[in-house]
Amino acid sequence: MISNFSSQVTTAGLVTGFVEVVLSYPALSCVSLVAFLAAFLWYDRDSHKVDGFNQKHVFITGCDSGFGNLLARQLDRKGFHVIAACLSEKGAADLAAAASPRLKTLLLDVTDSASVGRAVESVSREVGERGLWGLVNNAGRSVPVGPAEWMQLEDFTKVLDVNLTGVIDVTLQFLPLLKQAQGRVVNVASIVGRLSLIGGGYCLSKWGVEAFSDSLRRDMRHFGIKVSIIEPGFFKTNVTNVEVINSDLKRLWTRLPQQVKDSYGATYFNDYVKAQDFSMGILCSSDISKVTWCMEHALTAQFPRTRYSAGWDAKLFWIPLSYLPSFVADFVISVLLPSCKNERNI
């Protein structure tokens, strides 16, 4: 009896104290209430899914390996009609063997507009009057990357042709099928589309994907098409393969005039490679499902997000760093890279 009475008194005291706080700080209370409602509504809208996965077709580029390969198998298991575009016959055969008979593969070179056109014709026959529910622009390449002075124009265009021009061409040619289904476009950018960490075409291409996606989203809202951007941090895929990157860096360094090499110093190349290997070793995650979950959500959620950040480094380090003053970002990035000969002499 005494225990119940004490409990009631304690509860009454807590309620009274809460009411006093609310009345004493109305502005703070209003902010807290708005924050609570926003969180509740966000959770609620995040939990709604579209219906009829088994009636929807999704076209994914770059399915030989990495994100595209895993996403194709992931969506196939959920019942989607997946049409997976691969660059090589081996990639297509390996993927088909790992999926259900429902998954279809085709060969695609996103830098070849005629190849894209053939893919559109093939997908059009497959989807019929339903149209295309989802387009995932995942195909990409990273090399050549490195200091800007080591590059020639063709080094930039090799990457831009795949990562940016290819994305634009594929999207434009598939838009009529997407409009039929009032579907989704999911474009794979990167955290380096927010913060340029290295020279070459990769960062440029991902900034371009961000801009193209933003303009496309605003243009396509009239037709019910939703556009989402995936911004992964660093993950272990062919794009971050250090052996491939280092081999290409050696090619870039070797062809430089001796005068340019001397300006960096005799040890700079080796120091650069070591710094890059160290950073990749710490940052790269092997759990690429964190990225494909974002892609799946963009395709299945009733209210997909505009941007998805994937990976602890993207969420906790790179994206916050991108909002800080440029001199702060410049300092942090300079810590990760070696000093050159001339810088040491300043």
Side-chain angles (χ1 to χ4, degrees):
M1 195 68 179
I2 294 173
S3 176
N4 288 342
F5 178 75
S6 300
S7 177
Q8 291 172 4
V9 170
T10 303
T11 303
L14 288 172
V15 172
T16 302
F18 177 75
V19 171
E20 288 177 353
V21 170
V22 170
L23 294 176
S24 301
Y25 303 98
L28 179 61
S29 301
C30 288
V31 171
S32 301
L33 180 61
V34 169
F36 173 78
L37 289 173
F40 176 78
L41 290 172
W42 179 259
Y43 174 81
D44 185 58
R45 61 189 267 124
D46 220 28
S47 62
H48 286 82
K49 302 291 182 183
V50 296
D51 298 323
F53 294 171
N54 62 348
Q55 300 295 316
K56 298 184 186 303
H57 290 77
V58 177
F59 181 74
I60 310 167
T61 67
C63 293
D64 297 76
S65 63
F67 303 144
N69 186 279
L70 178 57
L71 178 66
R73 291 182 282 117
Q74 192 171 309
L75 295 181
D76 178 55
R77 288 194 297 268
K78 284 197 167 290
F80 279 97
H81 292 271
V82 177
I83 307 169
C86 298
L87 183 61
S88 69
E89 291 184 359
K90 183 181 185 304
D94 290 347
L95 176 57
S100 76
R102 186 176 52 249
L103 182 143
K104 309 294 182 184
T105 62
L106 57 79
L107 297 181
L108 172 67
D109 179 357
V110 298
T111 66
D112 180 355
S113 196
S115 177
V116 176
R118 290 191 294 271
V120 172
E121 291 175 4
S122 177
V123 172
S124 181
R125 289 192 297 269
E126 190 73 29
V127 303
E129 295 300 318
R130 289 195 186 96
L132 182 63
W133 172 254
L135 167 63
V136 182
N137 281 305
N138 167 74
R141 64 176 293 169
S142 58
V143 294
V145 292
E149 189 180 17
W150 299 11
M151 302 287 164
Q152 295 176 3
L153 181 59
E154 58 265 28
D155 296 315
F156 285 91
T157 57
K158 283 178 185 176
V159 179
L160 290 168
D161 284 349
V162 177
N163 295 2
L164 181 56
T165 308
V167 168
I168 295 170
D169 190 17
V170 170
T171 303
L172 293 180
Q173 293 203 47
F174 273 97
L175 273 182
L177 294 178
L178 289 161
K179 289 171 76 173
Q180 275 182 256
Q182 292 188 319
R184 310 283 174 86
V185 178
V186 180
N187 289 334
V188 181
S190 169
I191 53 91
V192 300
R194 297 274 199 111
L195 186 69
S196 291
L197 302 179
I198 197 168
Y202 192 73
C203 294
L204 297 181
S205 69
K206 295 306 182 180
W207 280 75
V209 169
E210 294 269 355
F212 173 66
S213 301
D214 281 340
S215 60
L216 181 71
R217 183 181 67 254
R218 290 161 187 147
D219 291 339
M220 289 297 107
R221 66 183 177 83
H222 306 290
F223 306 102
I225 295 176
K226 295 180 172 63
V227 181
S228 295
I229 306 168
I230 313 296
E231 299 174 334
F234 287 88
F235 288 86
K236 290 182 180 178
T237 66
N238 286 341
V239 169
T240 56
N241 187 317
V242 291
E243 291 182 5
V244 173
I245 293 172
N246 290 344
S247 175
D248 195 69
L249 277 171
K250 187 174 182 180
R251 176 185 69 85
L252 298 175
W253 174 259
T254 302
R255 76 182 184 188
L256 287 175
Q258 190 60 45
Q259 184 180 1
V260 176
K261 290 181 182 178
D262 291 342
S263 69
Y264 284 88
T267 65
Y268 186 81
F269 174 77
N270 290 330
D271 292 343
Y272 190 94
V273 169
K274 288 177 184 177
Q276 182 170 258
D277 288 352
F278 178 75
S279 299
M280 289 292 191
I282 292 175
L283 295 173
C284 281
S285 169
S286 59
D287 185 8
I288 65 174
S289 66
K290 293 175 181 175
V291 179
T292 58
W293 179 89
C294 295
M295 296 171 168
E296 181 185 315
H297 188 275
L299 292 166
T300 60
Q302 192 74 43
F303 305 100
R305 303 172 197 170
T306 299
R307 282 177 167 80
Y308 294 82
S309 59
W312 69 266
D313 59 320
K315 289 183 172 71
L316 302 179
F317 188 64
W318 299 117
I319 290 179
L321 184 62
S322 72
Y323 286 107
L324 295 178
S326 295
F327 75 89
V328 177
D330 290 350
F331 172 76
V332 172
I333 295 169
S334 70
V335 171
L336 299 175
L337 296 174
S339 300
C340 70
K341 173 185 174 183
N342 285 346
E343 186 177 352
R344 295 191 188 102
N345 292 335
I346 292 175

